[in-house]
Amino acid sequence: MLHNSFKPFILVSQKLRCTNFGLVVKHMLTKVEKCENLLHVSWKDSTKRTYPLVWLRDNCQCEKCFHPESKSRTLLLKEFDTHPAVSSCKVLNGTLSVAWSDGHKSAFNSDWLLLRGFDNESQRKRSEQVCSQKILWNSGLKENLPRSNFFSAINENESLVCWLKSLQKYGVAILENAPCKQGQVRILAHKIGFIKKTHYGEEFQVQAKDQPNNVAYTSTELQLHTDLPYYEYKPGVNILHCIAQDMTSAEKGENQLVDGFAVAENMRDKYPDAFKLLATTLVDWSDVGVDDSFTFNKVYRAPVFCQDITGQLIRINYSQPQRDSYFPGPLETVQDWYDALKLFCTMLYSEEYLVRLKLKPGDILIFDNRRVVHGRSGFGGGRHVEGAYIDWDEINSRLRVLEFGI
Ligand SMILES: [Zn+2]
């Protein structure tokens, strides 16, 4: 993850990368050598790769081991020998042929092998397809928010790819000039994949309601938070379409956005003990109630900062209304944990990090619900925002399909 303390961005205008990893044009395979449990393979242009025998046997592409239509491995693991022996191997017409000592035969295509190298360069290329690079930001993003036209995004794949890649990198992006009527969030979501349904429905209308079952459905200030921390499978991305907004006041009904990962990384640097408390203390996040006659009692137990096995932040849970009064403890760290949480809150609201922006009718704001902490100021009558969620699985998949095919 890059930390960008602040420099100008080049965003939606950036050139699309057209690298298609499915169409590698390389020289032919020329040579193969076996060495213990490895095969060393050479190409005509001197490229060399090394493959473990166990991996080659596991990835045999024959019809007994691999189902071509579903592109799925069908080899039975319960019958699989993890120490396969080779009786012979050779390169024939650019294809690697392996005869195994149990009589099975495998053939591996040159490009297929090359794409699956265990060397750093091959692994880096694959990681580019699988893991998106994030650029952290502070309040300076306000002048550089990734923006695109709604109709371009839904009608032109190139525009959709550019815009979604900005969303991957920065965790926030805006589409402008959408029609000011309900239904646009569904059109957009269906261009990418499909809406993530929650107990608030598929689309939801954010406006002051007579008997609100969620604080979002009032006209008061909504303090900074992430949505639905009480879901184990929390929606990845929020889509908020501003249908109506009183534009006579600059402050009323403005949205507030903070890069939670940037603030958390700053905490990790400056206040490591506070960071550790927020990353290791379990919290109960909950939501109980009724929506559209569906009764729910959701609880998810997780820290404020969730990290992967490398220590990289993958999810922030942060919601004052949806933090349960049940506290898993331990008792001895409760005071310090509250101090750490308050410090995080103070940093989120600091001028260094907080972006305030007022959506105009027709704007669709999209942001990463695992990363970006959001809120809004109080508003008068007439504000109407239609919202929906979509998961990162669908966005990342659409991007790979559009960029690389299947
Ligand atoms: Zn096979």
Side-chain angles (χ1 to χ4, degrees), residues 60 62 65 104:
C60 175
C62 86
C65 302
H104 198 82

Side-chain angles (χ1 to χ4, degrees), residues 225-250:
H225 65 284
T226 57
D227 277 5
L228 289 78
Y230 41 82
Y231 266 84
E232 180 173 358
Y233 307 107
K234 151 166 126 161
V237 165
N238 300 38
I239 307 174
L240 295 176
H241 175 208
C242 179
I243 294 173
Q245 173 96 285
D246 175 6
M247 299 303 288
T248 57
S249 151

Side-chain angles (χ1 to χ4, degrees), residues 49-61:
R49 298 277 186 269
T50 297
Y51 302 94
L53 292 183
V54 62
W55 176 84
L56 285 163
R57 182 64 193 87
D58 179 41
N59 289 289
C60 175
Q61 299 291 292

Side-chain angles (χ1 to χ4, degrees), residues 162-293:
C162 277
W163 181 71
L164 288 176
K165 286 178 90 71
S166 295
L167 178 65
Q168 273 187 334
K169 267 188 203 162
Y170 298 100
V172 56
I174 288 178
L175 287 178
E176 297 177 321
N177 301 313
C180 294
K181 59 182 182 184
Q182 286 180 220
Q184 308 313 304
V185 293
R186 176 169 290 267
I187 290 170
L188 178 61
H190 283 196
K191 191 70 200 168
I192 300 166
F194 37 83
I195 289 176
K196 165 90 167 202
K197 190 173 185 179
T198 74
H199 59 236
Y200 290 107
E202 295 197 32
E203 295 96 335
F204 47 89
Q205 310 307 320
V206 186
Q207 52 197 148
K209 297 181 183 176
D210 286 341
Q211 289 182 309
N213 62 350
N214 187 293
V215 290
Y217 301 151
T218 66
S219 60
T220 56
E221 176 186 354
L222 215 51
Q223 54 188 319
L224 291 169
H225 65 284
T226 57
D227 277 5
L228 289 78
Y230 41 82
Y231 266 84
E232 180 173 358
Y233 307 107
K234 151 166 126 161
V237 165
N238 300 38
I239 307 174
L240 295 176
H241 175 208
C242 179
I243 294 173
Q245 173 96 285
D246 175 6
M247 299 303 288
T248 57
S249 151
E251 295 83 28
K252 283 185 180 171
E254 69 175 9
N255 284 83
Q256 299 153 352
L257 301 166
V258 184
D259 186 350
F261 283 5
V263 176
E265 290 297 346
N266 193 352
M267 265 188 101
R268 195 200 303 257
D269 286 346
K270 287 187 182 155
Y271 311 103
D273 292 343
F275 177 89
K276 193 176 171 194
L277 272 172
L278 295 185
T280 57
T281 305
L282 292 170
V283 178
D284 279 2
W285 308 96
S286 69
D287 193 23
V288 295
V290 182
D291 191 275
D292 199 19
S293 63

Side-chain angles (χ1 to χ4, degrees), residues 295-367:
T295 309
F296 49 87
N297 185 342
K298 297 268 172 35
V299 184
Y300 181 58
R301 183 169 284 188
V304 175
F305 299 153
C306 300
Q307 303 172 83
D308 67 12
I309 55 167
T310 68
Q312 184 132 311
L313 288 162
I314 50 172
R315 166 172 171 160
I316 288 179
N317 298 303
Y318 182 75
S319 173
Q320 190 70 349
Q322 292 350 127
R323 185 163 47 74
D324 208 299
S325 47
Y326 285 102
F327 196 115
L331 179 67
E332 300 72 35
T333 59
V334 170
Q335 182 61 57
D336 289 343
W337 182 86
Y338 270 96
D339 292 339
L341 185 71
K342 182 62 192 287
L343 173 63
F344 182 52
C345 173
T346 305
M347 291 172 79
L348 288 173
Y349 275 104
S350 71
E351 290 302 315
E352 185 182 355
Y353 287 107
L354 184 64
V355 170
R356 299 171 193 275
L357 80 151
K358 182 145 179 172
L359 297 180
K360 56 185 188 303
D363 284 350
I364 300 182
L365 171 66
I366 302 214
F367 53 91

Side-chain angles (χ1 to χ4, degrees), residues 57 60-66 75 100 104-106:
R57 182 64 193 87
C60 175
Q61 299 291 292
C62 86
E63 289 190 0
K64 282 185 189 155
C65 302
F66 189 81
L75 177 151
W100 304 94
H104 198 82
K105 288 188 168 61
S106 303

